[in-house]
Amino acid sequence: MSDNERPQGGSSPDEPTQQMPADAQGRIRYQDPQSTTPREPTLAEQKARQMAEQRRAEAERAEQAAAAAKTAKRRKMLIGGGATVGVVALVAAMYSASEVSAQANASTEYCATDQNGQPGVRDQDDYCDENYVNSHGGYTHGGMFFMPIILPGGGFGGHHSYRYAYTPAGTAPPAIGSPAAGSTFNKPSGSTVKNTKGSTVQRGGFGISSKSGSSGS
């Protein structure tokens, strides 16, 4: 086929294809962080950063204020608790000291014969026990205990009278059969009183009212 007979608008397979310039297809550009100058932030970005920094600072201040308030509250509680414990400890110490003093200066209650209204000699404590006296032929009256006198030939010859006697403060009772020197039948008022077994029958001192635990006068 002659050149004149080639189709219009056609191309020969042997003709090279026309290429597009590289710049026309676009390219990817890379920036070197060491040599590239960063751009200035926009006004919107600057404002956003300022607001974020302000919120962070306010959050830190609020956190510090809350921590300070918590510490102050804890300190007040500790101080208040310490003061309460201190007062309780002080009262307990005063009470203990008073108790020790009261015990050391206690009067002792014991059974003694009645000789014209005065303590005569100490006798066994059973003679001032109402149950014991009643079960052994005796009787009680007006805070006094009456035990029958057993005669040598048998039978009874009247009664011995007994009452509770009290030693001076801090003084031990006499031995059974010994004179009740210095003792009295009047129970000391407001003082601690113990029996011969060491039990407290009347508690006194440190503002505690006296109460008798015996049947003595």
Side-chain angles (χ1 to χ4, degrees), residues 23-45:
D23 291 340
Q25 296 179 4
R27 65 175 63 176
I28 299 176
R29 296 181 180 180
Y30 295 93
Q31 294 182 349
D32 185 356
Q34 295 181 353
S35 60
T36 303
T37 302
R39 68 177 178 81
E40 292 292 330
T42 63
L43 292 177
E45 290 174 342

mmCIF file of all heavy atoms in Angstrom, residues 23-45:
data_model
loop_
_atom_site.group_PDB
_atom_site.id
_atom_site.type_symbol
_atom_site.label_atom_id
_atom_site.label_comp_id
_atom_site.label_asym_id
_atom_site.label_seq_id
_atom_site.Cartn_x
_atom_site.Cartn_y
_atom_site.Cartn_z
ATOM 1 N N ASP A 23 7.628 16.520 34.486
ATOM 2 C CA ASP A 23 7.033 17.539 35.342
ATOM 3 C C ASP A 23 5.532 17.583 35.200
ATOM 4 O O ASP A 23 4.809 17.948 36.118
ATOM 5 C CB ASP A 23 7.620 18.913 34.988
ATOM 6 C CG ASP A 23 9.082 19.007 35.402
ATOM 7 O OD1 ASP A 23 9.471 18.188 36.281
ATOM 8 O OD2 ASP A 23 9.798 19.872 34.889
ATOM 9 N N ALA A 24 5.052 17.192 34.030
ATOM 10 C CA ALA A 24 3.602 17.221 33.824
ATOM 11 C C ALA A 24 2.908 16.142 34.611
ATOM 12 O O ALA A 24 1.724 16.223 34.890
ATOM 13 C CB ALA A 24 3.299 17.093 32.341
ATOM 14 N N GLN A 25 3.604 15.050 34.981
ATOM 15 C CA GLN A 25 2.971 13.944 35.724
ATOM 16 C C GLN A 25 2.993 14.189 37.232
ATOM 17 O O GLN A 25 2.390 13.453 37.993
ATOM 18 C CB GLN A 25 3.708 12.636 35.413
ATOM 19 C CG GLN A 25 3.603 12.231 33.950
ATOM 20 C CD GLN A 25 4.358 10.958 33.676
ATOM 21 O OE1 GLN A 25 4.883 10.350 34.597
ATOM 22 N NE2 GLN A 25 4.401 10.559 32.407
ATOM 23 N N GLY A 26 3.693 15.211 37.742
ATOM 24 C CA GLY A 26 3.768 15.488 39.181
ATOM 25 C C GLY A 26 4.912 14.746 39.815
ATOM 26 O O GLY A 26 5.369 13.722 39.315
ATOM 27 N N ARG A 27 5.397 15.238 40.939
ATOM 28 C CA ARG A 27 6.483 14.575 41.636
ATOM 29 C C ARG A 27 6.297 14.749 43.156
ATOM 30 O O ARG A 27 5.592 15.622 43.604
ATOM 31 C CB ARG A 27 7.820 15.183 41.198
ATOM 32 C CG ARG A 27 7.998 16.626 41.596
ATOM 33 C CD ARG A 27 9.388 17.129 41.247
ATOM 34 N NE ARG A 27 9.554 17.087 39.806
ATOM 35 C CZ ARG A 27 10.653 17.556 39.210
ATOM 36 N NH1 ARG A 27 11.643 18.050 39.947
ATOM 37 N NH2 ARG A 27 10.795 17.521 37.883
ATOM 38 N N ILE A 28 6.955 13.862 43.992
ATOM 39 C CA ILE A 28 6.908 13.913 45.473
ATOM 40 C C ILE A 28 8.167 14.587 45.946
ATOM 41 O O ILE A 28 9.280 14.176 45.597
ATOM 42 C CB ILE A 28 6.788 12.499 46.071
ATOM 43 C CG1 ILE A 28 5.486 11.841 45.596
ATOM 44 C CG2 ILE A 28 6.846 12.565 47.587
ATOM 45 C CD1 ILE A 28 5.337 10.422 46.072
ATOM 46 N N ARG A 29 7.997 15.623 46.731
ATOM 47 C CA ARG A 29 9.134 16.343 47.228
ATOM 48 C C ARG A 29 9.358 16.032 48.716
ATOM 49 O O ARG A 29 8.415 15.980 49.499
ATOM 50 C CB ARG A 29 8.930 17.852 47.059
ATOM 51 C CG ARG A 29 8.829 18.297 45.596
ATOM 52 C CD ARG A 29 8.650 19.790 45.505
ATOM 53 N NE ARG A 29 8.552 20.235 44.117
ATOM 54 C CZ ARG A 29 8.399 21.514 43.753
ATOM 55 N NH1 ARG A 29 8.299 22.455 44.703
ATOM 56 N NH2 ARG A 29 8.318 21.845 42.485
ATOM 57 N N TYR A 30 10.559 15.807 49.115
ATOM 58 C CA TYR A 30 10.925 15.508 50.513
ATOM 59 C C TYR A 30 11.698 16.689 51.089
ATOM 60 O O TYR A 30 12.532 17.290 50.410
ATOM 61 C CB TYR A 30 11.777 14.243 50.595
ATOM 62 C CG TYR A 30 11.041 13.005 50.169
ATOM 63 C CD1 TYR A 30 11.098 12.546 48.852
ATOM 64 C CD2 TYR A 30 10.275 12.291 51.107
ATOM 65 C CE1 TYR A 30 10.420 11.409 48.455
ATOM 66 C CE2 TYR A 30 9.600 11.158 50.716
ATOM 67 C CZ TYR A 30 9.662 10.706 49.397
ATOM 68 O OH TYR A 30 8.991 9.585 49.009
ATOM 69 N N GLN A 31 11.380 17.006 52.386
ATOM 70 C CA GLN A 31 12.048 18.107 53.057
ATOM 71 C C GLN A 31 13.073 17.563 54.042
ATOM 72 O O GLN A 31 12.774 16.647 54.811
ATOM 73 C CB GLN A 31 11.039 18.994 53.811
ATOM 74 C CG GLN A 31 10.070 19.723 52.878
ATOM 75 C CD GLN A 31 9.125 20.608 53.665
ATOM 76 O OE1 GLN A 31 9.068 20.524 54.876
ATOM 77 N NE2 GLN A 31 8.394 21.455 52.964
ATOM 78 N N ASP A 32 14.203 18.121 54.038
ATOM 79 C CA ASP A 32 15.256 17.721 54.962
ATOM 80 C C ASP A 32 15.071 18.519 56.254
ATOM 81 O O ASP A 32 15.153 19.756 56.243
ATOM 82 C CB ASP A 32 16.618 18.032 54.345
ATOM 83 C CG ASP A 32 17.754 17.514 55.229
ATOM 84 O OD1 ASP A 32 17.464 16.991 56.333
ATOM 85 O OD2 ASP A 32 18.926 17.650 54.821
ATOM 86 N N PRO A 33 14.806 17.852 57.383
ATOM 87 C CA PRO A 33 14.553 18.591 58.644
ATOM 88 C C PRO A 33 15.746 19.396 59.107
ATOM 89 O O PRO A 33 15.598 20.342 59.866
ATOM 90 C CB PRO A 33 14.203 17.468 59.628
ATOM 91 C CG PRO A 33 14.796 16.229 59.055
ATOM 92 C CD PRO A 33 14.705 16.404 57.572
ATOM 93 N N GLN A 34 16.937 19.032 58.666
ATOM 94 C CA GLN A 34 18.120 19.753 59.107
ATOM 95 C C GLN A 34 18.354 21.030 58.305
ATOM 96 O O GLN A 34 19.013 21.947 58.773
ATOM 97 C CB GLN A 34 19.349 18.851 59.002
ATOM 98 C CG GLN A 34 19.290 17.648 59.934
ATOM 99 C CD GLN A 34 20.549 16.789 59.821
ATOM 100 O OE1 GLN A 34 21.406 17.033 58.958
ATOM 101 N NE2 GLN A 34 20.629 15.785 60.679
ATOM 102 N N SER A 35 17.815 21.063 57.161
ATOM 103 C CA SER A 35 18.057 22.234 56.309
ATOM 104 C C SER A 35 16.797 23.019 56.010
ATOM 105 O O SER A 35 16.882 24.149 55.541
ATOM 106 C CB SER A 35 18.704 21.788 54.981
ATOM 107 O OG SER A 35 17.843 20.892 54.298
ATOM 108 N N THR A 36 15.646 22.415 56.285
ATOM 109 C CA THR A 36 14.384 23.081 55.960
ATOM 110 C C THR A 36 13.986 24.000 57.111
ATOM 111 O O THR A 36 13.962 23.578 58.273
ATOM 112 C CB THR A 36 13.271 22.063 55.695
ATOM 113 O OG1 THR A 36 13.680 21.189 54.649
ATOM 114 C CG2 THR A 36 11.982 22.765 55.309
ATOM 115 N N THR A 37 13.652 25.204 56.871
ATOM 116 C CA THR A 37 13.190 26.164 57.885
ATOM 117 C C THR A 37 11.713 25.943 58.150
ATOM 118 O O THR A 37 10.906 25.970 57.220
ATOM 119 C CB THR A 37 13.415 27.600 57.398
ATOM 120 O OG1 THR A 37 14.808 27.782 57.111
ATOM 121 C CG2 THR A 37 12.959 28.610 58.446
ATOM 122 N N PRO A 38 11.325 25.625 59.463
ATOM 123 C CA PRO A 38 9.897 25.388 59.749
ATOM 124 C C PRO A 38 9.101 26.659 59.531
ATOM 125 O O PRO A 38 9.592 27.767 59.779
ATOM 126 C CB PRO A 38 9.902 24.978 61.218
ATOM 127 C CG PRO A 38 11.151 25.560 61.794
ATOM 128 C CD PRO A 38 12.149 25.524 60.677
ATOM 129 N N ARG A 39 7.912 26.458 59.119
ATOM 130 C CA ARG A 39 7.050 27.608 58.866
ATOM 131 C C ARG A 39 6.509 28.137 60.191
ATOM 132 O O ARG A 39 6.376 27.421 61.181
ATOM 133 C CB ARG A 39 5.891 27.214 57.937
ATOM 134 C CG ARG A 39 4.886 26.275 58.551
ATOM 135 C CD ARG A 39 3.731 25.995 57.596
ATOM 136 N NE ARG A 39 2.781 25.063 58.151
ATOM 137 C CZ ARG A 39 1.821 25.386 59.020
ATOM 138 N NH1 ARG A 39 1.696 26.657 59.420
ATOM 139 N NH2 ARG A 39 0.978 24.474 59.472
ATOM 140 N N GLU A 40 6.191 29.383 60.211
ATOM 141 C CA GLU A 40 5.620 30.012 61.379
ATOM 142 C C GLU A 40 4.180 29.510 61.584
ATOM 143 O O GLU A 40 3.435 29.364 60.621
ATOM 144 C CB GLU A 40 5.619 31.535 61.225
ATOM 145 C CG GLU A 40 7.001 32.170 61.243
ATOM 146 C CD GLU A 40 7.651 32.051 62.613
ATOM 147 O OE1 GLU A 40 6.908 32.028 63.618
ATOM 148 O OE2 GLU A 40 8.892 31.959 62.665
ATOM 149 N N PRO A 41 3.796 29.205 62.897
ATOM 150 C CA PRO A 41 2.407 28.752 63.117
ATOM 151 C C PRO A 41 1.424 29.871 62.814
ATOM 152 O O PRO A 41 1.737 31.055 62.980
ATOM 153 C CB PRO A 41 2.389 28.385 64.595
ATOM 154 C CG PRO A 41 3.505 29.161 65.207
ATOM 155 C CD PRO A 41 4.553 29.263 64.138
ATOM 156 N N THR A 42 0.277 29.493 62.389
ATOM 157 C CA THR A 42 -0.758 30.468 62.091
ATOM 158 C C THR A 42 -1.308 31.045 63.392
ATOM 159 O O THR A 42 -1.056 30.532 64.488
ATOM 160 C CB THR A 42 -1.893 29.812 61.300
ATOM 161 O OG1 THR A 42 -2.496 28.801 62.127
ATOM 162 C CG2 THR A 42 -1.376 29.159 60.032
ATOM 163 N N LEU A 43 -2.075 32.104 63.291
ATOM 164 C CA LEU A 43 -2.671 32.724 64.469
ATOM 165 C C LEU A 43 -3.602 31.745 65.188
ATOM 166 O O LEU A 43 -3.663 31.718 66.424
ATOM 167 C CB LEU A 43 -3.441 33.989 64.053
ATOM 168 C CG LEU A 43 -2.578 35.155 63.552
ATOM 169 C CD1 LEU A 43 -3.479 36.307 63.111
ATOM 170 C CD2 LEU A 43 -1.615 35.606 64.625
ATOM 171 N N ALA A 44 -4.339 30.952 64.437
ATOM 172 C CA ALA A 44 -5.257 29.973 65.037
ATOM 173 C C ALA A 44 -4.473 28.925 65.823
ATOM 174 O O ALA A 44 -4.857 28.522 66.926
ATOM 175 C CB ALA A 44 -6.111 29.321 63.958
ATOM 176 N N GLU A 45 -3.348 28.489 65.244
ATOM 177 C CA GLU A 45 -2.522 27.492 65.935
ATOM 178 C C GLU A 45 -1.906 28.084 67.195
ATOM 179 O O GLU A 45 -1.835 27.426 68.247
ATOM 180 C CB GLU A 45 -1.437 26.981 64.989
ATOM 181 C CG GLU A 45 -1.979 26.120 63.851
ATOM 182 C CD GLU A 45 -0.891 25.750 62.844
ATOM 183 O OE1 GLU A 45 0.155 26.432 62.842
ATOM 184 O OE2 GLU A 45 -1.087 24.787 62.105
#
